[in-house]
Amino acid sequence: SDGYKLLLFRIPGKQGEPLEDAKKKKRQPVILQHGILENSDSFLVNEKPAIAYVLADGGLDVWIPNFRGTMYSREHKTLDPDKDPEYWNFSMDELVKFDLRSIFDFVIETTKYTKVAYVAHSMGGGIMLAAASEFGDYYSKHLSSIAALGPSTCLKNANVMMKLVHYMSFLNLLNFFGFNELMNLHDNIHTFMSIFCHILPSVCSTFIRFVADEEPAWDNSDKYNVFFNHYPDATSTTQAIHILQQVKWQGYYKYRPYFFSLYHEYDLTKIPASIPIALFAGTNDKLVSIIDSYWLKEKLTTSGSLRLFKELENHGHLTFILPKPEDTLYKDVVDFTLSQLKQVEKIIPQPVSYTHLRAHETREDLVCRLLLEKKKKTQ
């Protein structure tokens, strides 16, 4: 695509299943995509339940990509993230245009399945919805479903802290003075936050309440110290600015590099109705408020793509990553994903050998000829 190299992790079988046995079985692929300042680790830290393992135990072939700029995807064909500022010149628009398409192409080519399920948290869900609205022809062919957990699109009613950071233009000043990478000291932050949440869990919960969850009591707080040993991860300052730009107006907008730049909206009503979407919204989410989730619900309903809207009482933004063992959220996600996969074709047909082609005959002509010959034989 545009030179960025992305790393994907794969869980091809159920927990405890020998790898060689898992590789022999055909399983429907699902992409599990993280949000901003996260990486693939987010889907593994909760352990019981961790959504990556729940999907795998549900019989799916789980692929967990890492967006550009994260610790697992810092490579580029020509640019060095530690030396070249140009590396960090990307917003969410580049993830929509390049990263997702590369991820889908790779998973489809590797697994030989025509359609892939998609499950995502936060920005990972918002990016997919934007891509489906912009490149509907491609994703209507290759998406079996989208399960979006607290997807970030419109953030007009986000918490006060996000609005404060946006209107103070703090990140814009960082970008102006050449600080293109955000959270480049993430290793030190991880160590501090992990120890902090281990020693002072009540203070850690207060921090979560201020930033992400109205009521952290619904989170699996025993895993806070583990989660913060992996969060936050790095991203571009431009991408963070792009996220914060969503708090200003009611809508979901492409990146505005300058104050006087025109607004260009992702029109989510253009998502093809053939793409089934499940939207999971938390009533205690302080980043993606329930009001903004209602706005998204209306857009998806208009597009004809919304199949399920689940309003989760007491769930905050972090609850989607760290639910308690008794929470039924992941069961609902797996049930929806599997129900949609049953309605699509399972595997790309094996390619026909070109040695059977006649002169000037295309592959399409060959397929038609072979079908006619088969029909004649059965008559």
Side-chain angles (χ1 to χ4, degrees), residues 168-186:
M168 287 180 64
S169 300
F170 174 68
L171 294 182
N172 300 74
L173 289 173
L174 286 179
N175 227 15
F176 179 79
F177 286 107
F179 294 94
N180 311 108
E181 179 184 358
L182 193 64
M183 296 299 177
N184 59 334
L185 297 177
H186 51 77

Side-chain angles (χ1 to χ4, degrees), residues 121-310:
H121 177 237
S122 192
M123 184 192 72
I127 294 295
M128 184 72 262
L129 296 175
S133 70
E134 292 280 296
F135 310 105
D137 289 344
Y138 174 85
Y139 288 107
S140 61
K141 294 177 183 176
H142 297 300
L143 259 176
S144 63
S145 65
I146 301 172
L149 314 180
S152 58
T153 54
C154 173
L155 298 175
K156 183 71 168 63
N157 297 281
N159 63 44
V160 174
M161 188 187 74
M162 286 187 68
K163 292 184 177 181
L164 186 64
V165 173
H166 169 67
Y167 286 110
M168 287 180 64
S169 300
F170 174 68
L171 294 182
N172 300 74
L173 289 173
L174 286 179
N175 227 15
F176 179 79
F177 286 107
F179 294 94
N180 311 108
E181 179 184 358
L182 193 64
M183 296 299 177
N184 59 334
L185 297 177
H186 51 77
D187 287 341
N188 297 330
I189 298 172
H190 293 167
T191 302
F192 170 78
M193 287 298 296
S194 181
I195 295 173
F196 176 75
C197 288
H198 180 70
I199 297 175
L200 299 169
S202 60
V203 180
C204 184
S205 294
T206 301
F207 172 75
I208 299 297
R209 180 180 287 109
F210 180 69
V211 175
D213 299 355
E214 189 68 38
E215 184 45 73
W218 291 87
D219 299 345
N220 186 4
S221 57
D222 291 341
K223 293 294 181 179
Y224 278 165
N225 64 315
V226 181
F227 176 75
F228 282 110
N229 203 32
H230 301 265
Y231 178 92
D233 201 346
T235 188
S236 73
T237 307
T238 299
Q239 183 170 300
I241 292 171
H242 191 185
I243 281 278
L244 291 174
Q245 286 178 351
Q246 309 307 319
V247 309
K248 191 171 184 180
W249 304 106
Q250 190 84 5
Y252 187 25
Y253 296 95
K254 298 180 181 181
Y255 179 61
R256 296 174 61 240
Y258 307 105
F259 178 79
F260 50 81
S261 299
L262 296 176
Y263 286 91
H264 297 285
E265 188 171 1
Y266 284 113
D267 187 355
L268 301 183
T269 64
K270 292 184 177 179
I271 296 175
S274 60
I275 300 177
I277 298 175
L279 174 58
F280 297 86
T283 58
N284 281 343
D285 194 330
K286 297 188 74 171
L287 292 177
V288 182
S289 75
I290 192 65
I291 298 174
D292 291 332
S293 292
Y294 288 150
W295 175 89
L296 177 58
K297 176 189 177 184
E298 182 180 341
K299 294 292 182 181
L300 298 180
T301 301
T302 302
S303 75
S305 59
L306 187 65
R307 303 293 192 275
L308 173 66
F309 175 75
K310 192 140 191 179

